[in-house]
Amino acid sequence: MLRSLYSGISGMKNFQTKLDVIGNNIANVNTVGFKKSRVTFKDMVSQTMPAVLLLVQQSAELTLSRSV
């Protein structure tokens, strides 16, 4: 159950990042020297991995504290 929640959270965070980039592109389209940005899969994975590692660490600590 928790894995599915983490997957949903990850998807929502990635979608928010894509919306942020699109909003930034729209806001700056009339700026001199504007170059549009894109979000790639590599960007998404690099932003998601630290959060996943933190969740795994917290889960392991919680499991250890329950077993003591």
Side-chain angles (χ1 to χ4, degrees):
M1 167 108 172
L2 285 176
R3 287 184 187 173
S4 61
L5 289 175
Y6 291 141
S7 294
I9 291 169
S10 174
M12 288 177 21
K13 285 182 179 181
N14 290 337
F15 186 67
Q16 180 63 45
T17 302
K18 289 172 84 172
L19 286 177
D20 290 344
V21 170
I22 291 169
N24 188 30
N25 286 341
I26 291 171
N28 294 315
V29 73
N30 292 325
T31 306
V32 176
F34 169 72
K35 185 176 179 183
K36 71 178 180 177
S37 299
R38 286 189 178 164
V39 180
T40 62
F41 180 74
K42 183 173 78 172
D43 296 334
M44 297 293 190
V45 170
S46 68
Q47 290 178 4
T48 305
M49 287 307 293
V52 169
L53 294 176
L54 179 64
L55 289 172
V56 168
Q57 180 184 10
Q58 289 174 348
S59 177
E61 290 172 359
L62 182 61
T63 303
L64 289 174
S65 67
R66 285 184 181 172
S67 64
V68 173

